[in-house]
Amino acid sequence: MTCAEANRLIGPWLDDELDVRSIVELEGHIARCPTCGQEKNELLALRETAREQLPRFDPPPGLEERFLRAVRKIAAPRSRPAHRWLREAGLMAAAACLAVTATVSLQRSVDPRDEIVDAHLRSLQAGHLTDVASSDQHTVKPWFQGKIDFGVPVSDFAAEGFPLVGGRLDMVAGRPVAALVYRRRQHLINVFVGPAAHRDQPLRSVSSRGYQLSSWAQGGLQYRLVTDVAAPEADQLVALLRAI
Amino acid sequence: MPASTSLSDFEQALRTHLAAAHHLARWLTRTQADAEDVLQEAVLRAFRSFDRLRPTSPRAWLLRIVRNCCYDLRKQSERDAEATFEEDALPLDAASPVLGVPVENPEARLLRMADAQVLEGALRDLAPEYREVFVLREIEGLAYKEIAEVAGVPIGTVMSRLSRARAQLRVLIVASQQKETA
């Protein structure tokens, strides 16, 4: 065994990742070769030092509970469909038309994602995409002024492959929002911006009915992005928007 | 109730592996606040795919998501800095700084004397691709196979990254100590 070969095997040996035959050969080599013996000592010294000296970052108290609460919160809607079905059945027995209304409103409350996807699909119909068609952020931004009661940050990301197509007014969850439209090759991306219930909210991304949806709040604005481009590309635009 | 079963399974996995996940996130982000943000996002992302994937190794699976979330954050914050990682092209033995130096071995002694601050600083100076394999191996005690799963690279790459991480750490530590004593 040469020193170069031995040198390559010392780490895996100390990590218990070496097969028996190689261990025997390596130990034989190290017994004869002080240079490789030294290499072994140094790696051992580094390991001991790392284990003794490096800080152990334990989670702060309460972190686990906080995460579990967050998980239960998003888990809750998942267990609702059975519930909803029962309720629908009951209502149908009482009055068919009431049941239909209830189903619609229940679905709404269960899944706001549908509403976002619907708004996206609506925008793709002829003539609905933009009220102001411009790739110039300095044209689009002032257009919103006086039409909505909050400021909308508008940026063109043509250089990054997401040219701004324009903007329009839309409704999401019964509230007027600014819709910014971006293009990625032949695909369109709607970004709905409106006042947020909470100033900041971490990013959540899901896919629904073949569309990518991302939602987050920052600076008091709620952003909801919807598109049919692939998730990694959608994430790129999300990152760009979050960095404005 | 499948929904509640999966919820309690997930809770169990989270309780078991949160410490490791938090530890990794702290090493791959700059601040405690960043680590917690990344973790929360990772936990939610993990929960959404838990049902579908039913991972055989929940630890490696959770750590992989945490790791990817950390890299997403880094990409966002370093968008302008353009810090892309390239595998070190040097052959392994050339990356090792010690072959051919005298037998007396002062380096091992210096390494043993390295204090927490020097070591932590050196580890933070490594490229995250090297830092993560070192942390996962030396502190979390993961096997190569699991590290490969977390980092999404072949085992051979884990071995070479780990070797380079160790070599670079030694150079950094010894250099910083020689600066101190000089």
Side-chain angles (χ1 to χ4, degrees), chain A residues 137 140-142 144 148 150-157 164 178-180 182 191 193-194 218-223 240-244:
Chain A
Q137 58 211 49
V140 176
K141 190 178 164 71
F144 282 115
I148 42 177
F150 51 91
V152 185
V154 181
S155 287
D156 175 34
F157 298 113
L164 179 66
L180 301 174
Y182 291 91
V191 181
V193 186
Q218 72 187 52
L221 292 175
Q222 182 77 44
Y223 288 77
L240 290 168
L241 289 163
R242 281 164 65 99
I244 293 179

Side-chain angles (χ1 to χ4, degrees), chain A:
Chain A
M1 180 177 283
T2 66
C3 282
E5 282 166 352
N7 204 39
R8 210 162 308 195
L9 296 180
I10 292 172
W13 176 42
L14 300 178
D15 292 332
D16 292 324
E17 300 267 357
L18 215 53
D19 61 287
V20 180
R21 225 187 77 193
S22 305
I23 292 175
V24 173
E25 278 182 48
L26 181 63
E27 285 178 346
H29 176 89
I30 283 179
R32 291 187 305 274
C33 173
T35 312
C36 288
Q38 177 185 330
E39 172 75 8
K40 184 196 102 180
N41 287 340
E42 283 193 36
L43 285 181
L44 273 178
L46 178 66
R47 162 173 301 175
E48 281 165 24
T49 313
R51 289 190 181 163
E52 284 163 19
Q53 301 281 354
L54 282 177
R56 173 80 226 180
F57 298 109
D58 287 323
L63 193 69
E64 184 178 290
E65 280 314 308
R66 201 178 95 200
F67 289 167
L68 288 175
R69 273 199 306 276
V71 166
R72 286 184 198 121
K73 214 162 141 190
I74 63 163
R78 288 190 182 188
S79 53
R80 232 176 263 178
H83 195 134
R84 188 174 77 203
W85 180 83
L86 281 175
R87 207 189 291 190
E88 269 171 40
L91 284 169
M92 256 148 80
C97 70
L98 235 174
V100 171
T101 322
T103 310
V104 170
S105 66
L106 272 170
Q107 273 173 344
R108 277 268 163 84
S109 68
V110 166
D111 211 345
R113 288 178 286 182
D114 277 347
E115 202 179 346
I116 307 287
V117 174
D118 288 345
H120 179 68
L121 293 175
R122 212 166 46 233
S123 78
L124 303 181
Q125 291 164 11
H128 288 255
L129 187 60
T130 54
D131 295 332
V132 48
S134 169
S135 60
D136 181 1
Q137 58 211 49
H138 305 293
T139 307
V140 176
K141 190 178 164 71
W143 182 85
F144 282 115
Q145 280 165 12
K147 299 185 178 68
I148 42 177
D149 55 359
F150 51 91
V152 185
V154 181
S155 287
D156 175 34
F157 298 113
E160 290 87 355
F162 296 95
L164 179 66
V165 177
R168 68 173 187 284
L169 285 181
D170 210 316
M171 295 285 277
V172 169
R175 298 207 49 162
V177 294
L180 301 174
V181 184
Y182 291 91
R183 190 166 52 76
R184 177 70 165 180
R185 296 186 304 273
Q186 298 314 309
H187 302 274
L188 290 165
I189 304 161
N190 268 290
V191 181
F192 300 103
V193 186
H198 305 286
R199 189 166 169 78
D200 290 295
Q201 184 194 76
L203 174 65
R204 295 175 184 193
S205 297
V206 288
S207 53
S208 173
R209 292 153 59 187
Y211 294 88
Q212 297 301 323
L213 293 119
S214 296
S215 159
W216 71 96
Q218 72 187 52
L221 292 175
Q222 182 77 44
Y223 288 77
R224 297 183 185 90
L225 179 148
V226 53
T227 181
D228 63 337
V229 308
E233 291 182 301
D235 290 346
Q236 274 178 35
L237 182 59
V238 168
L240 290 168
L241 289 163
R242 281 164 65 99
I244 293 179

Side-chain angles (χ1 to χ4, degrees), chain B residues 1-20:
Chain B
M1 286 281 286
S4 67
T5 315
S6 78
L7 180 60
S8 69
D9 284 356
F10 181 80
E11 287 185 4
Q12 176 65 38
L14 183 64
R15 283 183 205 278
T16 312
H17 304 298
L18 181 64

Side-chain angles (χ1 to χ4, degrees), chain B residues 128-144:
Chain B
E129 285 80 357
Y130 291 156
R131 200 187 314 140
E132 68 188 358
V133 291
F134 188 83
V135 167
L136 291 172
R137 172 60 228 155
E138 297 293 37
I139 309 178
E140 291 299 335
L142 262 61
Y144 288 1

